[in-house]
Every structure is written in C-alpha cells, then in structure tokens.
Amino acid sequence: MPPSSDPLPDLRNFSRQQLTDWVTSLGQPAFRAKQIFTWLYRPGIIDFSQMTNLSKDLRGKLHDLALLTDLAIETSELSQDGTKKYAFALADDAIIESVLIPDGKRRTLCISSQVGCAMGCAFCLTATMGFKRNLTPAEIVGQVRAVQSDLGEEQRINNIVYMGMGEPLANLDNVITSLDILGDELGLAYSAKRITMSTCGLAPQINKLAGKVKVNLAVSLHAANDIIRDQLMPVNKKYPIAELLTACQEFPLDKRQKITFEYILLAGINDGVEDARALAKLLRPLSCKINLLPCNEAPEIPFRKPKEATVLAFQDILKWAGYTVLIRSSRGDDISAACGQLAAKKKS
Ligand code: SF4
C-alpha cells in the first residue's frame, strides 16, 4: 500500500466480496455493496454524489468514511509503429508506465504491478530503478480504466498482460484483488482467457496463483541451464530451473491452453545452437509455446542483439523440435516502450 496518513479506505482497492464485507460492517445491507461496486467501474464516476440510486444519507456517509481515487495520465507518447506508452502520476508522486500495443483489431495493454522492481534481471532497465513499492489494486486496475477512457468505449482493450514494471507475483495479494475486479462482470468483465500473468520465476507464488484464479501464465526463462540463468536472473539462485518448471507443470491448464516461455536472445550469451537444443529438451514435458525476444539494446544494459541469422537458426531448432515459436518483434522501441525498457525517469 502507498505511504499515506489518510486512514480512509479507497473503495477501488476492494474486490466485490471485500466491499460487501466493508459495507455490511457499516450496518448496510449487502445489496448496497453490489450497487456501489457497479458505480465504481462505470466510466466517469469520480464522486460518491454521482451514485444516484443510493440514498443521500448513504452517499454522505461514504463521502465521510471512504475515498474514491482515480489514476491520472501524466503523459503519453506514440511510437511510429502505433504503440503508445502512458505514464501515470501516483498520489505519492511516483511514476509508473503502461504500454498499449495495437495489432489490427486487437489491443493489448501491458500494465505495471510495482514501482520499480527488486528482481535485478541483468537485461532489464526497470531493474536499474530498484524497488520502490507495490501498486495497490486500484492503481493496477486504474491503468486499464484510464487507457480505456483515453481510447473511448468503441476501441475496447482486448488483452491485458501483467508485463510492465515490476514482478507481479511479488505483489500477489494486490494482484489477485486486481484480477478479481478485472474479471468481475460488474467490474471490467474481462474473461480470464484475455489476461496473462508474467513472472520471472517465483515458483511458490505460481502455485499460490494457480490456487486462486485462472489466467494465462507467461514465464521469463531466458536460459536453458542454471549457470547462465544465475547470471542473468538472481531469482534463479533461490528457485532454480527445475523447481520453476515443476511449478509450471503443476499449473492447471485448460485443454488448448499453453504456458508461454519468454526467451530473450542475448548475443554470445544464450543464443547458440546448443542453447536452443538444451531449451527444446528442457521444455519437453510441458504444454507450452515459446516467444523469442531479440535483446532491446540500451546504453545501461551490457548486452547486444544477436544477428538475424542467429535468431532464425535458434527458432528453426525449436520448430523442428515441434514447438510453436514466435519471434517477437520489438514494438515501441523508439519511445522506450519495448520489453524490459520501462523505467520511469521523472519523479520516481
Ligand atoms: S525483467 Fe521483470 S522481473 Fe526482471 S527486473 Fe525487469 S521488471 Fe523485474
């Protein structure tokens, strides 16, 4: 939760069940919570006075006992390829970023779950910020609400990916509440199929997530052995590859659902033929697909992008092994919105 001297609860931090518990604790009937929750996720509601089916008395009570926060877009930048990066100013002046990636009629929004990140992945600009704090459920869902309001209701965001700043599973309670709100038919009504949770490999949290909600899982693997992964991702020293893949194997999947493994290709580090073969062998027991991400170079990052021929050869080996393998072209790198490039510089 953000540092705050204000003890009043922000109602947009509550799932419908949590709101019901709070409303009934005030001596109000449970159906009032349903009415209030419905108002919270209608566009343009910024004040309790707009909740016109509540009595004046209750609206006054809510005004005295609770908050209704909103996320303000601080700036937005449009890339040549249509990708749009949004920066949001939070109540404590921290800045977070979200990235909208249009692809034909599909619109995918990549959202942040923390201010900065503590995971220290060697190829990631967000890691250079260090960890500031977890985002609240209201701040996580607020990114979707604010971007949707910027787009207008005709251009619905189709997919939401928790792949922005931060490690979502290190903020599991708030992330789960945000998923409850996003998936609630009276909230933003997103199907679980439209939501993807990314993780750098917090194995126990993958198990916890699986026990609570259904979403797609994307795992940042980036190496096929512990020696290389230890160097790239400090999390691997705590949860080595074998432990991570066991958690992935236990993650419940629907019939046609697959786990996505993300693999950043770093020239001379993890992009060799032997790496591709080892990866093919490693993932054999899993129902999965693979995304290859040629490194996005940045002055702060000591890695280079492999040659195109190296990337294609890597992909071919995995394809021959029977995997669905996509090479993810960098979107929005002219505005630092590409994968691993989010590092808000203004106030945080
Ligand atoms: S890649 Fe993800 S988990 Fe790793 S430091 Fe960057 S934001 Fe954190």
Side-chain angles (χ1 to χ4, degrees):
M1 301 289 279
S4 167
S5 56
D6 201 329
L8 300 182
D10 177 358
L11 297 196
R12 288 195 170 116
N13 274 332
F14 289 151
S15 66
R16 194 176 351 163
Q17 185 55 56
Q18 290 165 340
L19 183 66
T20 306
D21 294 344
W22 184 79
V23 165
T24 52
S25 78
L26 300 179
Q28 295 287 329
F31 75 87
R32 291 284 177 222
K34 187 175 174 185
Q35 289 177 315
I36 296 167
F37 192 84
T38 306
W39 281 112
L40 293 179
Y41 298 101
R42 284 195 194 167
I45 300 299
I46 52 166
D47 200 276
F48 294 115
S49 64
Q50 294 167 285
M51 302 182 176
T52 47
N53 60 353
L54 306 181
S55 68
K56 216 172 168 190
D57 185 45
L58 179 55
R59 281 183 263 161
K61 231 181 203 172
L62 291 175
H63 184 268
D64 293 342
L65 296 177
L67 298 173
L68 204 52
T69 63
D70 236 340
L71 217 52
I73 295 175
E74 175 88 353
T75 56
S76 64
E77 277 180 272
L78 188 62
S79 162
Q80 288 171 354
D81 64 17
T83 300
K84 194 168 181 182
K85 181 167 79 169
Y86 293 86
F88 299 93
L90 307 182
D92 58 359
D93 274 355
I95 297 275
I96 53 161
E97 294 177 334
S98 314
V99 180
L100 179 73
I101 307 154
D103 184 9
K105 286 187 178 167
R106 276 163 51 113
R107 284 169 218 91
T108 299
L109 185 67
C110 177
I111 58 174
S112 295
S113 55
Q114 299 181 312
V115 183
C117 185
M119 295 295 141
C121 301
F123 47 80
C124 174
L125 266 186
T126 308
T128 63
M129 293 173 63
F131 173 70
K132 305 281 164 59
R133 69 169 173 88
N134 285 327
L135 296 187
T136 63
E139 289 165 339
I140 297 171
V141 176
Q143 297 167 65
V144 183
R145 295 177 57 244
V147 174
Q148 187 61 72
S149 139
D150 184 53
L151 289 173
E153 285 306 310
E154 304 77 47
Q155 297 189 66
R156 168 103 165 145
I157 296 164
N158 313 100
N159 298 298
I160 297 165
V161 295
Y162 285 69
M163 290 187 188
M165 294 164 70
E167 161 56 50
L169 299 193
N171 182 17
L172 193 61
D173 289 345
N174 288 350
V175 161
I176 284 176
T177 303
S178 73
L179 289 170
D180 281 342
I181 298 166
L182 288 174
D184 195 306
E185 59 184 359
L186 300 180
L188 299 194
Y190 277 94
S191 147
K193 285 184 199 155
R194 300 280 178 190
I195 300 178
T196 299
M197 189 59 55
S198 153
T199 179
C200 67
L202 297 178
Q205 265 76 356
I206 293 176
N207 294 327
K208 280 190 195 155
L209 177 75
K212 300 261 186 187
V213 282
K214 285 191 87 168
V215 281
N216 298 303
L217 183 66
V219 176
S220 299
L221 190 60
H222 307 321
N225 66 60
D226 284 325
I227 296 170
I228 299 178
R229 199 164 190 268
D230 277 354
Q231 290 165 15
L232 297 178
M233 307 178 75
V235 68
N236 197 66
K237 292 182 185 143
K238 199 159 184 200
Y239 306 113
I241 290 176
E243 196 173 335
L244 169 59
L245 295 189
T246 301
C248 292
Q249 268 181 285
E250 288 166 2
F251 193 80
L253 298 174
D254 289 340
K255 249 186 185 172
R256 285 168 40 206
Q257 202 182 4
K258 291 175 187 237
I259 293 176
T260 304
F261 285 96
E262 311 282 349
Y263 193 102
I264 191 165
L265 286 163
L266 309 167
I269 306 285
N270 65 355
D271 62 343
V273 168
E274 288 312 314
D275 296 296
R277 289 193 185 125
L279 183 61
K281 197 169 163 200
L282 187 68
L283 297 182
R284 183 63 59 215
L286 285 137
S287 172
C288 67
K289 55 189 175 181
I290 302 166
N291 282 342
L292 298 177
L293 312 141
C295 167
N296 290 308
E297 295 181 7
E300 299 89 336
I301 303 297
F303 299 108
R304 291 285 157 261
K305 194 182 214 161
K307 292 199 172 97
E308 199 185 343
T310 309
V311 175
L312 292 175
F314 200 97
Q315 182 189 35
D316 279 349
I317 291 169
L318 294 169
K319 274 186 169 173
W320 287 330
Y323 293 96
T324 302
V325 194
L326 292 178
I327 298 170
R328 287 285 183 206
S329 59
S330 227
R331 297 287 307 265
D333 52 359
D334 55 329
I335 55 166
S336 297
C339 227
Q341 287 189 334
L342 296 187
K345 291 183 185 117
K346 286 195 176 159
K347 297 185 193 168
S348 56

